[in-house]
Amino acid sequence: MLLPLSLAAFASGAAMAAESCDFYQGKTVELIVPFSAGGGFDAYGRLVAKYMGPELGAANMIVRNQPGAGGLLATNQTAKAKPDGLKVQLMSVSGMITGELGGADGVNFKSGDFSWIGRISGEPDVIATSPASPINTLADVKKIGGERKIRIGSSGIGDIDYIEAGLLAKMLGVETDIVTGFSGSPEVYASLGRNEVDFFSSSLSAGEAAEKAATARLLWSFDTEPVPGRPEIKPLSDIVDAQFIPLIKAQAAVVAAGRALAGPPKLPADRLTCLRNAFDRAMASPALIEESKKINRPVAPLTGQQITDLVRSVTDGAPKDYLEILSKAYAH
């Protein structure tokens, strides 16, 4: 289990701050957000820039929005950017990894090659059913599956929930239909609340919001570990056959990567160290943590090495079955 950063981990922060990163003095560092201004990614990017820039010793750390092709435009450009430490990007890591491994059109990078600085936020995905559904166990699924196909909702082809729908269909051992055509998660949850679909997977926070709106009942986590504070949400690994645990672990790692900061490939080790240390100190800052709560953008940081290991655990070792499901998802 990956342990988030904590204030205790940086008791030596003052000594680290004194480390020589003179290169950044008087420089402007650009933080690329691969989506339009005003959304969640933009809020996280501006939060990090505000606190990381001073920790780095830079004159400015500015945010530049570069939307296009679902984030691919900016990511492809960052992959080819000069590795001088003056350009970093906020990454939607799950989309990067699944797009790369699934052979999505327009992907011109290797996720594991980026110079990973740290994760800003991440949360598990959960699988929900209708509050009125009789489903509680795999036996319930199989009973219904003996009468009709199990319906799994999805925001659309290529989305993370579409990939998880494909994985779930493989694991349940019954005939399924993946129902698409929704405008987004809220619409799928509304359909789930009307018992028009049997399952839908999403982030924990989206699932809990649907729970409060009485359109969902959270059943399982797409993970091998329980959800902290929610013991009634069982890990999917406890529900399905043990042969599927490698698939669950691969998807859980993809989801756990969350939103993370990275520089171009082959960034010099000394500059990467400066960026990582500045990021770690910023994320442990009480002021950043307090502001993240005020703007309702929770943080759950991991170090640069932790996010590197997490990314490469999938890109370098994903099961063949997992790669096949990703390829099918993007082939549509």
Side-chain angles (χ1 to χ4, degrees):
M1 182 176 181
L2 292 169
L3 299 176
L5 297 173
S6 67
L7 288 171
F10 299 103
S12 59
M16 294 169 66
E19 179 183 8
S20 177
C21 291
D22 292 342
F23 167 79
Y24 286 99
Q25 296 295 323
K27 298 285 200 312
T28 294
V29 179
E30 191 175 44
L31 192 160
I32 303 298
V33 173
F35 302 103
S36 300
F41 266 82
D42 184 62
Y44 276 111
R46 294 179 190 282
L47 180 69
V48 171
K50 178 179 177 179
Y51 292 94
M52 183 175 167
E55 292 289 351
L56 193 57
N60 296 288
M61 191 168 195
I62 61 171
V63 172
R64 183 162 69 86
N65 297 89
Q66 191 178 349
L72 283 180
L73 177 65
T75 307
N76 283 333
Q77 291 186 9
T78 297
K80 297 178 181 178
K82 184 179 180 181
D84 57 7
L86 296 177
K87 180 178 183 177
V88 298
Q89 184 183 319
L90 184 57
M91 304 287 192
S92 175
V93 189
S94 58
M96 288 175 64
I97 296 174
T98 56
E100 174 197 338
L101 298 183
D105 290 341
V107 173
N108 298 314
F109 56 78
K110 298 290 185 183
S111 303
D113 289 349
F114 284 92
S115 302
W116 292 99
I117 296 164
R119 185 186 78 173
I120 299 164
S121 67
E123 60 179 329
D125 276 2
V126 292
I127 300 160
T129 191
S130 169
S133 171
I135 295 174
N136 287 291
T137 66
L138 185 60
D140 295 333
V141 175
K142 290 186 179 296
K143 181 180 178 181
I144 295 171
E147 301 168 357
R148 61 168 174 81
K149 290 183 178 181
I150 296 294
R151 302 172 300 241
I152 307 173
S154 169
S155 300
I157 293 170
D159 285 345
I160 286 295
D161 60 51
Y162 187 84
I163 292 165
E164 290 182 343
L167 288 165
L168 192 59
K170 184 178 182 69
M171 297 178 203
L172 292 178
V174 294
E175 287 193 64
T176 60
D177 272 334
I178 299 177
V179 183
T180 59
F182 300 98
S183 63
S185 293
E187 194 171 299
V188 188
Y189 270 122
S191 181
L192 186 71
R194 294 189 295 270
N195 213 21
E196 294 168 349
V197 294
D198 298 297
F199 291 115
F200 179 55
S201 67
S202 74
S203 66
L204 173 62
S205 57
E208 289 182 331
E211 211 173 30
K212 290 178 181 177
T215 59
R217 176 166 54 88
L218 305 189
L219 272 181
W220 309 314
S221 64
F222 220 111
D223 210 326
T224 57
E225 298 179 5
V227 175
R230 297 293 306 267
E232 76 281 11
I233 303 175
K234 304 298 183 184
L236 186 57
S237 58
D238 289 358
I239 305 301
V240 300
D241 193 279
Q243 67 175 306
F244 299 120
I245 288 178
L247 293 179
I248 297 170
K249 285 184 174 180
Q251 182 62 15
V254 165
V255 171
R259 298 176 173 94
L261 198 65
K266 299 181 179 179
L267 208 154
D270 57 342
R271 294 182 191 177
L272 179 57
T273 297
C274 288
L275 289 164
R276 284 180 169 182
N277 288 345
F279 175 85
D280 291 348
R281 292 192 298 270
M283 297 306 295
S285 160
L288 181 148
I289 294 169
E290 182 61 27
E291 185 168 342
S292 76
K293 293 176 181 177
K294 287 181 179 178
I295 64 174
N296 197 29
R297 299 295 175 187
V299 296
L302 295 177
T303 67
Q305 190 57 57
Q306 285 177 312
I307 189 66
T308 299
D309 293 344
L310 195 58
V311 169
R312 291 179 180 171
S313 72
V314 182
T315 59
D316 296 348
K320 181 181 177 182
D321 286 357
Y322 185 70
L323 298 177
E324 288 176 352
I325 287 172
L326 294 184
S327 295
K328 288 179 182 178
Y330 285 100
H332 288 88

